[in-house]
Amino acid sequence: AQTVTQSQPEMSVQEAETVTLSCTYDTSESNYYLFWYKQPPSRQMILVIRQEAYKQQNATENRFSVNFQKAAKSFSLKISDSQLGDTAMYFCAFMRGTGANSKLTFGKGITLSVRP
Amino acid sequence: EAGVVQSPRYKIIEKKQPVAFWCNPISGHNTLYWYRQNLGQGPELLIRYENEEAVDDSQLPKDRFSAERLKGVDSTLKIQPAELGDSAVYLCASSSQREPSYNEQFFGPGTRLTVL
């Protein structure tokens, strides 16, 4: 079974600064996907960024980037130039890479507050 | 393109009463998921459908929970009878194996259930 651990329950960052959210996971699979989802107070889960485990290059989406360390089973999210709209819960998630759609295993999430 | 639609957004019932949630996935998405999200936790999969077939219902408490996706499009999740511990947010998601959104799950806004 897969497990995803987010050990920081909450973080706070000043607007325009950079913040890093941590995530570790445990799996015996060799092929898998990792995701960061954002859940604002409206509850709508929104995909922030996705990483395929077979790719060595870290994924980047505008202000969001990941540090994927496969051997250490670590998958952190860096948010640059933080904006007030980044305030939300962030969930790290794991999906087995079976080639077909599979379930997501989520961490407990971290509450990020961006201060003006 | 319309997103995943769920109704109702909120539901308050007394214990032992029945309740049903409805989900309409994104058009063309053949995979549909129901997740339960307890307060302060990440979502956990209850059931996954491929078209009208339930391919993963191992986490669905079958004594009181049931789900259906009769025509392979929209889906209903039912609880009968509800218990206090069922209070949670019930999220529906859908996905497609077609690029460019391969393996990405799109979530609805969820239904917040409160059992008194």
Side-chain angles (χ1 to χ4, degrees):
Chain A
Q2 289 71 230
T3 59
V4 178
T5 301
Q6 294 179 254
S7 57
Q8 308 155 303
E10 54 185 79
M11 290 190 75
S12 180
V13 64
Q14 194 75 34
E15 191 176 10
E17 293 188 346
T18 295
V19 64
T20 298
L21 311 182
S22 301
C23 173
T24 59
Y25 60 94
D26 190 22
T27 184
S28 57
E29 305 275 346
S30 56
N31 297 320
Y32 51 88
Y33 299 82
L34 296 165
F35 304 81
W36 278 98
Y37 275 86
K38 170 185 177 181
Q39 188 178 42
S42 66
R43 297 201 307 264
Q44 190 95 34
M45 279 277 197
I46 303 165
L47 179 65
V48 174
I49 199 165
R50 167 175 51 197
Q51 175 80 41
E52 292 88 346
Y54 63 87
K55 290 187 177 179
Q56 292 186 333
Q57 187 174 7
N58 288 324
T60 300
E61 288 287 342
N62 301 313
R63 298 183 296 108
F64 300 88
S65 61
V66 299
N67 183 3
F68 173 47
Q69 301 290 327
K70 190 171 183 178
K73 295 180 180 174
S74 170
F75 183 61
S76 60
L77 174 69
K78 185 171 82 172
I79 306 174
S80 304
D81 185 25
S82 297
Q83 301 176 0
L84 297 178
D86 295 333
T87 294
M89 280 203 75
Y90 287 80
F91 291 93
C92 179
F94 173 100
M95 176 190 288
R96 289 187 300 137
T98 62
N101 291 305
S102 183
K103 73 173 185 179
L104 287 165
T105 299
F106 288 87
K108 285 188 173 183
I110 178 172
T111 301
L112 176 66
S113 300
V114 180
R115 306 186 304 272
Chain B
E1 178 182 84
V4 176
V5 179
Q6 289 188 250
S7 68
R9 290 294 309 274
Y10 303 89
K11 189 73 177 178
I12 301 174
I13 61 172
E14 294 189 346
K15 63 181 181 181
K16 300 185 182 179
Q17 294 300 304
V19 65
F21 315 123
W22 177 80
C23 172
N24 188 259
I26 292 174
S27 178
H29 282 194
N30 60 313
T31 309
L32 184 145
Y33 314 76
W34 283 103
Y35 289 87
R36 177 168 61 187
Q37 185 177 17
N38 293 316
L39 187 64
Q41 303 290 321
E44 294 180 327
L45 182 74
L46 290 173
I47 190 168
R48 172 168 67 96
Y49 282 93
E50 294 289 346
N51 300 305
E52 61 273 3
E53 181 183 0
V55 296
D56 183 357
D57 63 355
S58 57
Q59 300 303 310
L60 189 73
K62 297 182 182 62
D63 57 335
R64 298 183 299 107
F65 285 66
S66 64
E68 60 183 18
R69 193 185 185 201
L70 293 176
K71 297 183 179 178
V73 181
D74 56 348
S75 175
T76 302
L77 177 69
K78 297 178 182 178
I79 309 175
Q80 182 171 12
E83 296 179 352
L84 295 178
D86 296 331
S87 294
V89 174
Y90 291 84
L91 295 168
C92 179
S94 69
S95 66
S96 166
Q97 293 190 31
R98 291 192 293 270
E99 299 287 351
S101 62
Y102 181 74
N103 264 344
E104 178 180 351
Q105 294 184 20
F106 295 82
F107 285 81
T111 297
R112 182 181 295 279
L113 173 67
T114 301
V115 182
L116 303 175

